């Protein structure tokens, strides 16, 4: 076992992991150790990697079943498990999915079984901009006033792929009725319990959550606005400033995240993304 250093962020959640070469020695770290670290920190940053599609997919499998993304336009030809994200255009064709994830969200929240983990690799990153923000929804939950937590306990909220698709895939073809029907709106608990740690987290997102079920619509909208405003508060947010070769892994069951913009007329940002299956939230 190689020497592995875990550097928790002193002022924020998340940790850097130092001492790994995931392309050449992916088994220097045991899967159980990775799971344990991500349970604690929520987001792990492993800098200085030299991955290709195969080694990214291979490493992603350490976390569970890798799920092919349902938006097929931007999957890597050699490894469909890898989705390419980019706002750049080459020869008139998009390099990858543009404007992906610019609203706060938890990946695939609108599926019956949303993904547990996402892995994002900085293949090409801009010198400035294009940061990824993460919000700790465990802390948001724990800091809620007791009366509000009681009001939300046992409630479910509705999430819509169609709403999210419209916002995120502005350059892609409009959603066909078939694809819309294949991704029906879905309800999940507003306060979700993490299946491994037992910790609760707020599980609604401004990307695709439409309303809280069985609640007066005005009250539902007011509560969602309050939760969305809360999660953006700087004390809940870690900003990841990318360097080329960074691999970032996060747990969608307890974090929200969002992309930020960059100047794609002068800079390139090309990210490789995989996602790992999760369970039905409870
Ligand atoms: C994602 C995502 C954010 C980013 O890949 O799920 O939200 O900064 N990406 O690219
Ligand atoms: Mn995302």
């Amino acid at each position: 076992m190689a020497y592995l250093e875990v550097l928790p962020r002193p002022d924020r959640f998340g940790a850097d992991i130092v001492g790994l070469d995931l392309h050449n020695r992916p088994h220097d770290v045991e899967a159980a150790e990775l799971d344990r670290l991500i349970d604690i920190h929520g987001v792990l940053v492993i800098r200085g990697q030299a991955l290709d599609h195969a080694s990214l997919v291979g490493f992603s499998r350490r976390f569970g079943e890798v799920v092919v993304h349902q938006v097929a336009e931007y999957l890597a030809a050699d490894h469909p498990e890898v989705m390419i994200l980019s706002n750049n255009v080459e020869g008139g064709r998009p390099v990858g999915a543009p404007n992906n994830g610019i609203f706060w969200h938890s990946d695939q929240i609108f599926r019956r079984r949303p993904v547990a983990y996402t892995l994002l690799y900085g293949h090409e990153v801009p010198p400035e901009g294009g940061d990824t923000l993460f919000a700790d929804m465990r802390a948001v939950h724990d800091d809620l006033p007791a009366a509000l937590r009681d009001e939300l306990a046992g409630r479910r909220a509705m999430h819509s792929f169609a709403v999210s698709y419209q916002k995120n895939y502005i350059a892609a073809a409009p959603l066909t009725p078939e694809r819309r029907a294949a991704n029906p709106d879905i309800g999940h608990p507003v306060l979700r319990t993490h299946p491994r740690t037992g910790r609760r987290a707020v599980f609604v997102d401004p990307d695709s959550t439409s309303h809280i079920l069985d609640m007066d619509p005005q009250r539902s909208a007011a509560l969602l606005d309050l939760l969305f405003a809360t999660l953006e508060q700087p004390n809940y947010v870690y900003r990841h400033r990318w360097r080329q070769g960074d691999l970032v892994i996060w747990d969608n069951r307890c974090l929200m995240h969002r992309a930020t913009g960059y100047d794609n007329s002068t800079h390139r940002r090309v990210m490789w993304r995989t996602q790992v299956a999760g369970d039905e939230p409870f």
Side-chain angles (χ1 to χ4, degrees):
M1 172 69 47
Y3 175 65
L4 180 102
E5 204 177 352
V6 180
L7 305 172
R9 248 168 274 292
D11 57 336
R12 286 287 180 277
F13 64 100
D16 275 281
I17 303 193
V18 180
L20 291 172
D21 174 351
L22 298 176
H23 184 73
N24 294 306
R25 304 192 317 267
H27 294 281
D28 275 1
V29 58
E30 285 169 17
E33 175 69 356
L34 288 170
D35 289 345
R36 191 184 71 81
L37 289 172
I38 203 159
D39 283 348
I40 298 169
H41 300 291
V43 53
L44 304 180
V45 174
I46 309 175
R47 297 207 190 254
Q49 302 303 302
L51 298 180
D52 55 21
H53 291 166
S55 53
L56 174 59
V57 173
F59 184 65
S60 303
R61 292 211 174 100
R62 307 286 299 280
F63 292 90
E65 179 202 340
V66 174
V67 180
V68 174
H69 203 283
Q70 74 272 48
V71 179
E73 285 90 331
Y74 306 110
L75 305 181
D78 59 340
H79 286 89
E81 298 92 338
V82 177
M83 186 181 201
I84 316 287
L85 310 182
S86 182
N87 288 359
N88 298 101
V89 174
E90 243 170 43
R93 288 174 57 94
V95 175
N99 297 310
N100 188 281
I102 49 175
F103 301 93
W104 283 104
H105 64 284
S106 175
D107 285 332
Q108 311 273 294
I109 196 172
F110 40 74
R111 299 185 103 168
R112 178 165 301 283
R113 297 171 61 209
V115 295
Y117 304 109
T118 305
L119 292 87
L120 194 60
Y121 178 69
H123 176 58
E124 288 182 72
V125 304
E128 59 179 353
D131 302 339
T132 306
L133 309 182
F134 295 92
D136 187 345
M137 303 307 287
R138 304 167 295 190
V140 171
H141 169 272
D142 293 352
D143 290 349
L144 286 179
L148 194 52
R149 217 183 299 155
D150 288 347
E151 188 176 359
L152 294 170
R155 302 267 183 191
R156 297 173 78 79
M158 289 303 282
H159 311 279
S160 164
F161 171 72
V163 169
S164 172
Y165 185 93
Q166 249 175 13
K167 289 183 185 164
N168 286 283
Y169 300 101
I170 48 179
L175 206 54
T176 59
E178 293 74 30
R179 208 170 184 186
R180 173 90 182 73
N183 295 278
D185 294 358
I186 187 93
H188 291 308
V190 175
L191 305 183
R192 173 175 192 181
T193 304
H194 195 286
R196 292 176 48 86
T197 66
R199 281 192 71 178
R200 288 223 163 160
V202 173
F203 195 61
V204 287
D205 82 25
D207 183 72
S208 50
T209 306
S210 57
H211 63 287
I212 300 172
L213 286 165
D214 303 321
M215 186 181 272
D216 166 66
Q218 275 182 356
R219 183 66 185 153
S220 159
L223 287 179
L224 289 177
D225 282 351
L226 176 70
L227 294 171
F228 299 157
T230 304
L231 74 91
E232 290 192 62
Q233 287 174 16
N235 53 313
Y236 297 119
V237 173
Y238 160 61
R239 173 183 288 266
H240 185 69
R241 294 186 169 85
W242 289 91
R243 294 179 214 151
Q244 186 178 345
D246 286 357
L247 178 68
V248 176
I249 308 155
W250 66 85
D251 189 337
N252 288 292
R253 298 169 293 194
C254 56
L255 305 184
M256 298 282 160
H257 62 283
R258 59 160 294 199
T260 62
Y262 68 100
D263 182 354
N264 66 345
S265 67
T266 47
H267 301 320
R268 280 175 65 88
R269 185 181 195 261
V270 182
M271 312 298 281
W272 298 347
R273 179 191 190 285
T274 59
Q275 52 184 7
V276 175
D279 296 321
E280 194 165 340
F282 58 86

